[in-house]
Amino acid sequence: MLAWYRRVRRDLPWRRTTDPYAILVSEVMLQQTQVARVVPRYEAWLERWPTAEALAAASPADVLRAWVGLGYNRRALRLREACAAVARDGWPREAAGLRRLPGIGPYTAAAVASFAFGEQVAAVDTNVRRVAGRLGVAPEELLPAGAAAEWNQAAMELGATVCGARRAACGECPARPWCPSAGRVVTPPRARGRRAVRFEDTDRYARGRVVAALAAGEGLPAGLDAERLERALAGLERDGLVVRDADGAARLPG
Ligand code: SF4
């Protein structure tokens, strides 16, 4: 697996660093956005806020403006809050401590702990869970001694590029010799009978439009009916992404 990974690995900027802050930024961005779109945003973000301390000192409004288009804006504020905790108390060096930072779940904590601090812990995202399931083992059982960081990258890469949810290319897989599922993965049929909801009709879309318009200084976006706009504003206000003044005018916080 490790030999395979060294051969096929994509050269991505966050794979060239052991800086916990840079790794955390990449992990949070990658949660919702494709690699190709994240790369330029990641590089611009690090140029603007090169350290956790720098991000902690930024205003929430500036952080939200820089996040527009990456989706799930609340993550940007949680990332800033995590950096504020780090600026105050320093970096926890193990996954258990990292999990106590705002907005950091088990996967992200394990990824930062293994990539930045070399902790021997499995970072289990959806891809790794699927690969381990097909191999019939728990992800932790797969960790080779002393190589957690590279192994985690290898397992994620395998799930992302070879052992996919809908298609397993077992003929190209380095795990094939010992995989009980090799050649037996059945593609699940697509759900029928339910009409797919267009993204443009979702509340998430409406909320994204509101934040993008406020970030651009354009006021509230046109084209959303009053009820939908109010629902989006109320949700954003509840999540701390928008503040409404006494006269009802909406703006980004801070
Ligand atoms: S052999 Fe096939 S099912 Fe098994 S891990 Fe590789 S791609 Fe997945």
Side-chain angles (χ1 to χ4, degrees):
M1 277 279 284
L2 293 177
W4 168 83
Y5 174 65
R6 283 173 205 145
R7 211 170 51 244
V8 302
R9 75 194 284 271
R10 291 167 289 175
D11 181 31
L12 300 169
W14 46 88
R15 288 181 172 169
R16 290 180 223 133
T17 181
T18 53
D19 173 10
Y21 168 70
I23 291 166
L24 178 60
V25 169
S26 72
E27 289 295 340
V28 177
M29 287 186 175
L30 287 165
Q31 281 167 15
Q32 297 300 330
T33 312
Q34 289 168 344
V35 168
R37 284 186 56 216
V38 166
V39 171
R41 304 292 297 268
Y42 164 86
E43 288 172 338
W45 187 279
L46 288 192
E47 208 165 299
R48 182 166 184 188
W49 296 300
T51 62
E53 290 74 14
L55 184 61
S59 78
D62 279 347
V63 171
L64 282 171
R65 268 184 217 111
W67 195 265
V68 166
L70 286 167
Y72 290 98
N73 293 300
R74 215 146 79 93
R75 287 182 202 279
L77 295 188
R78 302 291 273 169
L79 175 62
R80 178 180 166 276
E81 285 168 32
C83 287
V86 166
R88 196 178 56 238
D89 305 325
W91 281 99
R93 298 179 65 86
E94 293 179 344
L98 287 159
R99 278 178 71 167
R100 286 195 280 275
L101 294 175
I104 300 200
Y107 162 74
T108 306
V112 174
S114 72
F115 301 151
F117 301 118
E119 188 182 0
Q120 297 305 295
V121 62
V124 186
D125 70 353
T126 325
N127 285 326
V128 174
R129 190 169 296 114
R130 180 177 59 254
V131 171
R134 287 179 180 164
L135 288 168
V137 292
E140 298 74 22
E141 289 179 69
L142 291 169
L143 276 185
E150 198 176 17
W151 178 265
N152 284 332
Q153 295 280 15
M156 282 186 244
E157 191 87 353
L158 189 75
T161 61
V162 176
C163 189
R166 300 193 59 79
R167 179 176 173 268
C170 302
E172 300 159 28
C173 180
R176 183 186 171 92
W178 71 91
C179 178
S181 311
R184 299 179 178 188
V185 173
V186 179
T187 305
R190 290 194 187 279
R192 285 187 197 168
R194 247 188 298 150
R195 270 195 33 219
V197 178
R198 284 191 330 145
F199 180 57
E200 289 76 5
D201 294 332
T202 63
D203 281 358
R204 194 153 82 74
Y205 170 78
R207 289 168 52 123
R209 288 271 318 272
V210 170
V211 171
L214 292 176
E218 294 167 358
L220 293 171
L224 296 175
D225 67 51
E227 192 186 327
R228 211 168 157 214
L229 184 60
E230 176 52 34
R231 201 165 57 236
L233 280 168
L236 289 167
E237 197 173 27
R238 213 171 34 242
D239 289 345
L241 291 158
V242 158
V243 178
R244 281 200 270 190
D245 298 329
D247 61 0
R251 59 180 171 78
L252 297 181

